[in-house]
Amino acid sequence: MSKETYSAQQRASETLFKPFASEKLQLSNRIVMAPMTRSRSPGGVPGPDVAAYYRRRAENGVGLIVTEGTIIDHPAGTGDPNIPLFHGDASLKGWAKVVSEVHEAGGKIVPQLWHVGMTRQNGSLPNPEAPSVGPSGLTLAGEKTNEPLSVEEIESIVEAFGRAAGEAKRLGFDGIELHGAHGYLIDQFFWEQTNRRDDPYGGDIVSRTKFAADIVRASRRAAGEDYPILLRISQWKSGFYDAKLAKTPEELERFLAPLVDAGVDIFHCSTRRFWEPEFPGSDLNLAGWVKKLTGKPTITVGSVGLDVEFNGAFRGQNSDVADIGQLIDRLEQEEFDLVAVGRSLLADPLWAAKIRDGRFDELQTFKAESLRTLY
């Protein structure tokens, strides 16, 4: 190994394993396990295999685990009966076991609270009788298939998110993450393509944050002032990868301000490739811009450690291990605070420990079959 290679690897180990401390969350290092849907919870109940899956990441050095998306108490929250729920005795007992396993291994964990909105097809299991819901009854393609949510229905969903936050606190989770990205329900309120409302939940980019801000406030009331609330956001939507909520830094600042005021503690900024600039004239990615504009800690994510971006992977492409030097440069420059790792950790539960110990030649490559296995 050359001196240059050794130096780069040592720098990666040291930088990623610096402790992180914010007002409400302290972590042993900067590595976050990204939320990844696994559909391995029959009947919505995470079993012992799911608990063991998360425990393996905790005992091998991941600083914070964000669970796969888990569904709030609403009949149209998901269209997949194997996605875990975050309500009901059986599902919550399953999550209690997950928390216990992760904490016993020395890790920290937050659930990602989720409602898929109009990405669900009408008639989907587990509740085929429930119509899919969204701010304007529009699909991501802008096609009207259902009626808009009433204000009363919106308020009931807000309350369901709040109840889930309270349950997370009761079960011993270390915070919550709200899934406000990728074209799911919260993001459907954010996006002008899917939100055509003319009441206080629609309108300009500031008004379209009301639903999410109400959820943050409901979560805060249920879980307390000191409980960490993370919000995942993205510009892109599933199948619409060039979509933009904010086309300029000024628009992004207007969008973020009500969410900060509502009480978001950390922003999880989802991009497909972490190294891509968000706006012309600056090398900052989305996490970099959000941190600059809000002063809040941010998590970056997007093809970390891989040479195939995520969409290629889900088409069945395998990936080789990629250099993370640029990631380390940006983290050392404090462009962002934490780094979420998805497919690398999905394929290799020892990924963080291998980075920490300098065992870069032992890193496992991501293969399409990894999506079908709980390594």
Side-chain angles (χ1 to χ4, degrees):
M1 181 186 299
S2 69
K3 289 183 178 180
E4 291 78 10
T5 300
Y6 176 78
S7 176
Q9 292 183 356
Q10 184 180 40
R11 193 163 60 95
S13 300
E14 292 174 352
T15 301
L16 283 171
F17 280 85
K18 287 181 179 177
F20 166 81
S22 66
E23 183 180 352
K24 299 175 186 175
L25 184 65
Q26 291 76 45
L27 304 173
S28 62
N29 62 59
R30 305 305 176 104
I31 299 173
V32 176
M33 182 178 182
M36 292 172 284
T37 297
R38 304 314 314 272
S39 294
R40 293 294 187 275
S41 299
V45 179
D49 56 340
V50 174
Y53 163 79
Y54 288 118
R55 180 186 177 117
R56 282 190 290 275
R57 276 74 188 169
E59 63 192 7
N60 283 289
V62 171
L64 176 66
I65 292 168
V66 182
T67 74
E68 61 207 285
T70 181
I71 306 299
I72 64 160
D73 187 7
H74 187 268
T78 181
D80 182 345
N82 294 307
I83 284 178
L85 304 177
F86 209 78
H87 60 91
D89 289 344
S91 295
L92 293 176
K93 286 179 181 176
W95 283 119
K97 178 64 172 175
V98 172
V99 173
S100 175
E101 292 285 342
V102 168
H103 285 171
E104 189 176 291
K108 292 192 174 183
I109 184 168
V110 301
Q112 187 187 68
L113 305 181
W114 191 24
H115 190 303
V116 303
M118 292 296 295
T119 65
R120 171 188 182 269
Q121 292 186 348
N122 288 328
S124 295
L125 296 173
N127 298 306
E129 75 288 350
S132 299
V133 300
S136 300
L138 302 173
T139 68
L140 297 189
E143 299 169 352
K144 183 174 174 59
T145 59
N146 289 355
E147 292 303 310
L149 279 165
S150 69
V151 171
E152 292 75 19
E153 290 170 322
I154 289 172
E155 291 172 347
S156 74
I157 293 172
V158 169
E159 291 172 2
F161 271 103
R163 288 196 303 273
E167 293 287 13
K169 176 75 173 293
R170 180 181 68 81
L171 294 176
F173 279 95
D174 299 290
I176 60 166
E177 176 170 287
L178 302 170
H179 195 344
H182 305 168
Y184 297 114
L185 182 62
I186 293 175
D187 199 17
Q188 287 162 25
F189 275 85
F190 288 154
W191 195 27
E192 61 185 352
Q193 173 84 348
T194 47
N195 186 346
R196 308 287 177 80
R197 301 179 71 93
D198 57 7
D199 65 3
Y201 290 95
D204 66 11
I205 195 169
V206 174
S207 299
R208 295 195 304 270
T209 66
K210 176 174 169 52
F211 178 62
D214 285 355
I215 289 171
V216 173
R217 292 189 178 97
S219 299
R220 178 67 67 214
R221 288 193 298 271
E225 288 299 319
D226 296 329
Y227 202 60
I229 297 177
L230 289 65
L231 175 65
R232 197 175 212 208
I233 59 172
S234 69
Q235 297 265 45
W236 66 273
K237 320 300 167 199
S238 299
F240 297 83
Y241 301 113
D242 295 327
K244 293 278 189 183
L245 290 177
K247 299 176 180 62
T248 65
E250 292 75 22
E251 279 192 338
L252 182 61
E253 186 171 26
R254 293 180 64 223
F255 167 75
L256 294 167
L259 301 171
V260 172
D261 289 345
V264 174
D265 296 302
I266 297 174
F267 286 93
H268 188 172
C269 305
S270 180
T271 57
R272 297 168 69 200
R273 309 171 186 91
F274 76 84
W275 56 87
E276 291 186 342
E278 191 57 42
F279 301 112
S282 169
D283 289 334
L284 291 176
N285 69 8
L286 182 60
W289 273 109
V290 171
K291 181 176 181 179
K292 178 178 179 179
L293 293 171
T294 67
K296 294 290 184 180
T298 59
I299 306 170
T300 197
V301 68
S303 302
V304 172
L306 300 177
D307 66 349
V308 174
E309 54 87 22
F310 81 98
N311 203 38
F314 286 102
R315 290 195 301 267
Q317 290 179 252
N318 295 337
S319 176
D320 288 328
V321 176
D323 178 67
I324 58 173
Q326 184 183 162
L327 176 77
I328 300 306
D329 289 342
R330 289 170 177 250
L331 187 57
E332 288 180 341
Q333 293 162 14
E334 300 183 349
E335 180 177 334
F336 38 75
D337 302 274
L338 298 163
V339 176
V341 182
R343 285 165 292 130
S344 293
L345 268 171
L346 187 150
D348 188 353
L350 279 70
W351 189 88
K354 290 174 180 177
I355 296 288
R356 180 193 63 209
D357 300 338
R359 295 183 286 147
F360 287 78
D361 57 342
E362 297 179 23
L363 292 171
Q364 297 295 308
T365 58
F366 173 85
K367 296 180 175 59
E369 67 185 43
S370 304
L371 296 171
R372 299 185 290 273
T373 307
L374 287 178
Y375 288 117

